[in-house]
Amino acid sequence: MASSLYSNAQHVDFDSVLAMDDPGMVSMFEALEASGLRGFLGCPAVVYEDALVDFFENASVRNGVVFSTVDGQIVQITEKLFAESFELPVEGLGDLSEMPKDAIFDARSIVSMSGEQINLSGRKNQMKMPYRLLCDIMAKAISVKAGSFNAITVEKFSLMTAVVCGVKMNWAQFLFGVLKKMVSVKTKQAKGFAIQISLLLATFPAVELGEASEFPASKILSKKTVLRFVSINDRDGAEEITGAAKKKDVSKKRTAADIEAAVPKKKRTTKKKSISSISSLEMVAVAEEAVPIQQVAEKLVVEEPRCSSADAVDMIIQQVLEETRATDAPADTTEPAVSVEKNWFDLPYEDIVKQWEAENPVVTASDTGMKL
């Protein structure tokens, strides 16, 4: 579908926008006109969709010239034809890498909404409203890049610098270079320039272009569409500020679950309290003295092995037996014998009976001569 060739396109109705009551917007469009881009951005908005499809399907670049076939007819577009058709400047910078650094430095402050230099890797909401719109024009109608139109790139800002600071650009060379990238197979350049290519094809009388289509009014910058752009960007900017403030508040308020998740749980451990702070300090001092492994090994070797309970009992019995043998051993013969007097209760029972009978003899009748 040819409509995909201008889905992100941007065109300008200079007569309408220059009559606006917004001085900032009018000043920006005047600078755009003074740069030499009015003939390219403000040409009659007519599109030949069938011819556009044929052009891009068959286009190629040979020796710096764009060739294609439309309705069976060969067309060739040179840089000179391109420049003359849209009254483009042919003098000045042809490459954005040649853009003066001091001009970029000044432009970063001129377009800034806060007065401070903008961040070139940030978003376009850093800029004043007219320059946000200029950033869109550069992205959609000049460089024709796909992607986010809210992000600032070095290429887009360099194009803006040429307009804002009045740097002369060879727009014919630059824009024709973009066209050559569009028809090259090995590039990722987005397709565009639908209105401009349609007007170029109309310069070839032998080419049957088919029925013309009117370019969508919503893609043409007029007083009405510019005011709509301002309204949408004001709303989006307010939503971004509100969203950032809410995000900041949420980040400050931490729930109990977040705190519990953030604080690691500790296992309960029993700690022995030291008697005094001095003793605790002494314990730390001792703990800090590292004992070499070799010394520990030597101590373990010298230490006597411990006996089991059964061995300890055997040792005690052995010791008692040895003491008993020492007590029952005969006395030395050189020493005089010591007689020990034994008491009757120390004697055996048989000896006690014999001693009692001896001391108390039994007297019978025959012994006394008495008759019974």
Side-chain angles (χ1 to χ4, degrees):
M1 294 294 292
S3 58
S4 62
L5 300 175
Y6 54 83
S7 59
N8 292 321
Q10 198 88 75
H11 210 58
V12 182
D13 183 352
F14 280 92
D15 293 335
S16 177
V17 295
L18 291 175
M20 293 180 63
D21 296 330
D22 188 334
M25 284 292 180
V26 172
S27 177
M28 185 272 292
F29 282 111
E30 287 177 345
L32 197 60
E33 183 182 29
S35 69
L37 288 171
R38 177 164 182 166
F40 184 81
L41 296 174
C43 60
V46 178
V47 175
Y48 299 98
E49 294 190 359
D50 294 339
L52 283 172
V53 173
D54 285 349
F55 174 82
F56 279 108
E57 284 182 352
N58 304 312
S60 61
V61 179
R62 302 174 191 173
N63 299 323
V65 179
V66 176
F67 286 87
S68 185
T69 56
V70 179
D71 191 31
Q73 300 293 323
I74 297 175
V75 297
Q76 60 178 6
I77 302 174
T78 63
E79 184 177 330
K80 182 180 179 180
L81 175 64
F82 192 84
E84 291 176 349
S85 299
F86 305 109
E87 300 178 353
L88 292 169
V90 293
E91 295 180 356
L93 303 180
D95 193 341
L96 293 178
S97 62
E98 301 173 359
M99 186 65 60
K101 303 298 182 182
D102 56 345
I104 295 176
F105 183 87
D106 294 338
R108 290 174 64 185
S109 300
I110 294 172
V111 304
S112 175
M113 185 168 59
S114 64
E116 299 179 356
Q117 290 193 334
I118 65 169
N119 181 8
L120 294 183
S121 60
R123 297 168 64 85
K124 68 179 183 181
N125 58 2
Q126 306 173 73
M127 298 185 286
K128 299 173 185 176
M129 194 62 67
Y131 301 111
R132 297 185 197 181
L133 181 56
L134 179 60
C135 185
D136 275 9
I137 295 171
M138 293 295 108
K140 297 177 181 179
I142 303 300
S143 63
V144 193
K145 293 290 186 179
S148 174
F149 298 112
N150 291 323
I152 301 174
T153 63
V154 175
E155 181 184 24
K156 283 190 286 187
F157 194 77
S158 297
L159 292 170
M160 290 178 61
T161 301
V163 175
V164 172
C165 297
V167 179
K168 288 186 177 181
M169 284 286 296
N170 187 341
W171 289 116
Q173 179 181 341
F174 179 82
L175 292 171
F176 190 70
V178 175
L179 176 61
K180 289 189 291 185
K181 290 179 181 178
M182 288 181 187
V183 299
S184 297
V185 179
K186 295 182 180 180
T187 63
K188 296 182 180 180
Q189 174 67 48
K191 303 295 189 291
F193 293 176
I195 295 175
Q196 291 80 5
I197 294 173
S198 295
L199 291 178
L200 287 170
L201 295 177
T203 61
F204 297 92
V207 177
E208 183 64 35
L209 300 178
E211 186 178 356
S213 302
E214 188 175 354
F215 194 72
S218 60
K219 298 184 180 300
I220 299 176
L221 292 175
S222 60
K223 181 179 179 180
K224 180 179 179 180
T225 53
V226 169
L227 292 176
R228 182 173 179 271
F229 174 86
V230 172
S231 176
I232 292 174
N233 278 264
D234 279 341
R235 182 189 62 195
D236 292 344
E239 289 178 354
E240 286 182 5
I241 295 173
T242 304
K246 288 182 178 179
K247 186 176 181 181
K248 187 175 181 180
D249 292 339
V250 170
S251 63
K252 287 183 178 179
K253 297 178 181 179
R254 301 180 64 187
T255 61
D258 295 335
I259 297 173
E260 184 178 356
V263 178
K265 296 182 178 180
K266 296 182 179 180
K267 296 182 179 180
R268 291 185 178 181
T269 57
T270 58
K271 295 183 179 180
K272 295 182 179 180
K273 294 183 179 180
S274 58
I275 298 174
S276 63
S277 59
I278 298 175
S279 60
S280 62
L281 292 175
E282 292 175 355
M283 291 173 65
V284 173
V286 172
E288 288 178 353
E289 295 178 1
V291 179
I293 298 176
Q294 295 179 354
Q295 295 182 9
V296 175
E298 292 175 359
K299 291 181 179 180
L300 292 175
V301 173
V302 174
E303 185 178 357
E304 294 181 2
R306 296 182 179 180
C307 300
S308 63
S309 59
D311 294 338
V313 173
D314 293 340
M315 290 176 65
I316 293 171
I317 295 173
Q318 184 66 27
Q319 184 177 0
V320 171
L321 292 174
E322 290 177 355
E323 292 178 355
T324 303
R325 292 192 190 99
T327 304
D328 296 339
D332 192 357
T333 52
T334 58
E335 296 180 357
V338 179
S339 61
V340 179
E341 184 178 358
K342 295 183 179 181
N343 297 321
W344 64 271
F345 48 79
D346 292 329
L347 299 175
Y349 177 75
E350 293 79 0
D351 294 343
I352 294 173
V353 173
K354 291 179 178 178
Q355 184 177 355
W356 185 80
E357 290 179 348
E359 294 178 354
N360 300 287
V362 179
V363 179
T364 61
S366 59
D367 295 334
T368 55
M370 295 181 64
K371 294 183 181 181
L372 299 176

